Amino acid sequence: MIYLIAILIYLFALTGIGVHMSRRVKTQADFAVAGRTLSPWVMVCTMLAVWIGTGSIVGNAGQAFRDGMAALILPSGTFIGMILLSMIAHKARSIEVSSVPEIIGSRYGRTARLLAVVALIIAYMVIVSYQFNAGGMVLEVITGKKDPIALQTADELTPSQVRKGYLVFEPQTDWTGTTTVGFQVKADDGWSPQTETFTIDVVAGRDSIEAQRQLAEEAAGNHIAVKMNSMAKIVIEGHDDDSPARLYRVASLPDSGRLILSEPKLTARDATIIAAIFIITYTMLAGLLSLAFTDIVTGTIITVSLLIAFPVLLLKAGGFGGMAEAFAAMGDRPDHMRFWGVYSPITIINYCLPVFLLILGDANQYQRIFASKNAKGARTAVLIMIFLALAIELLIISSAWISSSLIPDPENGRYVLIYAAKHFMPLPLGILFLVTVVGIIISTADSFLLVPATTFIKDVYLVHINPKASEKHVVLLSRLLVLAFGIIAYLVSLAFAESTTVFRKALYAFTIYGAAITPCLVAALFWNRSTKYGAVASILVGTVTALAWEELRFIKAALPAWAADLDAVLPAITLSVVALVGVSLLTERTNPTGTE
C-alpha cells in the first residue's frame, strides 16, 4: 500500500505542475516546442526521460531476464545512433521548424510531407499503446493480488478468468511428472457433455527448455511444460471471444499439487484505462512545456536510483559468483553468464537496428532539438546524451540481469525491475525507484502522444485546412487531438495479443518509423540529389514492407530458413534506401526539389 500511496502523491504533484504550466501556454510554439526556451541541461534531462521509457524499463529489462548477460549488447543501436544524431543536431536546429514532416515537406513537397505524417502516426500510436500497457502493469503489480482461492471440482469460472491466466496450477515442492485438469464448457444450450483436458508437464529446470521447444513445434494446444517449483498459468485455448462459451466448470483436479484462482486486485485492463486517462489528461494540460521541467526531476532521480540499486542488487545476489551458482541451480538459464555466442548475427540485427533507425530520425528527439535555445545548445545536449543514455541503458539491463538470478519463477520475472523494487530493494529505494519508473513511463507516453498531435496541426491542419487559424484555436485543437490520438492508442493496445511482449511491440513500431521516415529525413538534410519522387517511394516502400513482413505470414513462409529468421527491419530499410536512391537518380533532372 505504501508504494501505491507514494505513486499517487507523485501523480498529484505532476497534475499540479501541469495545471500551473497550462496557464503559461499561449501559443502553439509554447505547447509544441516549449517556446524554444530549453537550455542544454533541461534538454538532456527531457531527452533522457523520453528515451529511457517503457522500451528500456520493461522491454530491455525483460529481455535481460530471458537472455542474461547477452542483453548488454542491446544499447549498441542507441549508442551509435546518438553519435550520428549529434552530427545532425546542429543542422536540424538551424532550420526554424517544429516537426520532422515539416523538414521533409520543405524539401520534398506536400505529398511526401503527408505520407511522413501518416507513417509517424501509425508508429507512434503503437508506441503510446504499450506505454499505456506499462503504466497498467505497474499499477497491477503495486496493488497486488487478492487472496488465492483453492478450487474444487464443480467450481465455475468466467471466460475472463481462464483466458487471462488467473487459473494457476501450483505443483508440490520438488515434484516432477505429468498431470491434467479436466473442465467443461457451458454455452447457450447448457454444459458440454464431454470433458476437455489441459495437460501440465512439470520437469526439472535443465529439461524445461527442451520440453517447451517440443510443445511449440507440435503446436500443442492446452498443453504446457513448466520447470519444477514454478507456478503454471492455465490459459484454456479453443474458446475465443467469438465462441459461445459462457462459463467453465472444473471437472477434475490435478493428481498432484493444487489448482488455485489468483486474481489481481486491479485487472490489467482497468489498470491500463486508469494509466491512459491520466497520461492523456496530463499531456492535454501543457504539452512539452510541462514535460520539459518535470523531466529534470525524473531524469535526475532515475540516474541516482539506478546507481544505488545496482550495487544493492549485486550484493543481494552474492556477487557474480552467487549469480553463477543461482543460474546453475535453476537449470533453465544455462547461458545467462555468457555475453558472446547467445545471439546470432541475425538476432543482433533484429534487436539493434530498429533502435538505431528510430533514434536517428525520432521526431521526439528532434522536437527537443527544435525547442533548444540555439543550435550550439542542441549539439551540446546530444553529445552529453550519447554517454548518459548508454550508461543508463546498461544500468537497467545489468540490474535486470542481476535480479533474474534472484527470481527462479519466470512468472515473477515478467516485470523484473518492478518486482525487484518491491522485493529486493530497501523500502526507501524501492519507493524512489517505482515512483521514477512511473515518471519515466508518463514522460515517454506524453511525448509520443504529443508529437502526432503537433505534427497533424503543423503539417496538415495549418497547411491544408485552416492556414489562418488563431493561436488560441490551434492550442485548443492540439489538446483535442491529444485526446483523439490517446483514444486511438488505447484501442491499438487492445489489438495486440496479450502474449506479445513490450520488447516485440517496441521493435515493431521502431521498424515502421525507421524504415519509412529516417532515410528521407537524413537525405533531406545531407543529400542534395534526393528528389520528391525518391522520398515518396522510400516512405511508401518502407511502410508497406514493415507492415507486410509482420502481418502477411505467407511472405516469410516462402523464404529460405535463414531469411525467415529476419524481422522486418533489414528488408524494410534496405528496400526503403534502394527506392530513395534509385528513384532519385532516375528523376533528379525532372524535379530535384520538392516544389509542387
Side-chain angles (χ1 to χ4, degrees), residues 241-459:
D241 291 336
D242 295 327
S243 74
R246 296 290 180 266
L247 286 174
Y248 293 80
R249 182 167 64 190
V250 179
S252 63
L253 296 171
D255 298 329
S256 177
R258 64 175 186 152
L259 192 64
I260 62 175
L261 183 64
S262 178
E263 295 183 283
K265 293 177 180 177
L266 186 64
T267 66
R269 183 164 186 158
D270 291 343
T272 299
I273 291 173
I274 293 171
I277 290 173
F278 181 85
I279 289 167
I280 293 169
T281 303
Y282 183 62
T283 309
M284 289 175 66
L285 285 173
L288 186 61
L289 196 59
S290 61
L291 284 177
F293 291 97
T294 56
D295 284 348
I296 297 175
V297 178
T298 303
T300 302
I301 293 177
I302 191 65
T303 304
V304 172
S305 60
L306 281 168
L307 286 171
I308 299 172
F310 177 79
V312 168
L313 291 171
L314 186 60
L315 185 63
K316 184 82 173 179
F320 295 113
M323 290 171 60
E325 292 177 5
F327 289 136
M330 292 176 193
D332 61 339
R333 304 174 200 179
D335 297 326
H336 268 49
M337 295 299 292
R338 294 174 56 200
F339 180 73
W340 295 113
V342 177
Y343 292 149
S344 67
I346 287 179
T347 300
I348 293 174
I349 292 172
N350 289 342
Y351 287 176
C352 297
L353 185 56
V355 182
F356 167 78
L357 294 173
L358 175 72
I359 202 163
L360 198 58
D362 182 18
N364 260 309
Q365 302 300 331
Y366 282 89
Q367 189 175 34
R368 280 147 178 79
I369 289 171
F370 301 149
S372 67
K373 289 182 178 180
N374 50 55
K376 182 180 178 181
R379 180 176 174 82
T380 300
V382 177
L383 285 171
I384 296 171
M385 266 291 291
I386 293 173
F387 302 100
L388 191 56
L390 178 64
I392 298 300
E393 291 270 19
L394 290 175
L395 279 172
I396 288 171
I397 293 171
S398 299
S399 297
W401 169 48
I402 295 168
S403 299
S404 68
S405 69
L406 300 168
I407 308 174
D409 191 341
E411 178 59 29
N412 292 328
R414 289 190 304 156
Y415 320 124
V416 54
L417 288 181
I418 299 172
Y419 184 89
K422 279 192 69 177
H423 295 87
F424 306 135
M425 296 182 191
L427 184 61
L429 179 60
I431 291 173
L432 182 68
F433 189 87
L434 284 176
V435 166
T436 308
V437 167
V438 171
I440 288 290
I441 291 171
I442 291 172
S443 177
T444 306
D446 288 350
S447 298
F448 279 96
L449 189 54
L450 180 63
V451 167
T454 301
T455 299
F456 188 89
I457 288 288
K458 190 72 176 178
D459 300 291

Side-chain angles (χ1 to χ4, degrees), residues 12 22 50 75 127 131 144 150 171 179-180 194 196 314 345 358 393 405 414 454-455 466 505 507 513 536 549 575 581:
F12 280 124
S22 67
V50 73
I127 295 174
Q131 308 298 328
T179 189
T180 61
Q194 73 274 15
E196 300 183 42
L314 186 60
L358 175 72
E393 291 270 19
S405 69
R414 289 190 304 156
T454 301
T455 299
N466 188 5
K505 292 176 186 177
L507 294 183
Y513 187 94
V536 168
W549 193 270
L575 293 177
V581 174

Side-chain angles (χ1 to χ4, degrees), residues 34 93 107 123 127 179 238 395 505 510 528 541 570:
R93 179 58 185 87
R107 175 68 188 277
I127 295 174
T179 189
L395 279 172
K505 292 176 186 177
F510 296 174
N528 293 330
V541 169
L570 189 58

Side-chain angles (χ1 to χ4, degrees), residues 154 157 182-186 191-196 236 239 247-252:
L157 302 163
F183 63 93
Q184 294 173 297
V185 179
K186 184 180 182 180
W191 291 104
S192 59
Q194 73 274 15
T195 297
E196 300 183 42
I236 297 174
H239 303 279
L247 286 174
Y248 293 80
R249 182 167 64 190
V250 179
S252 63

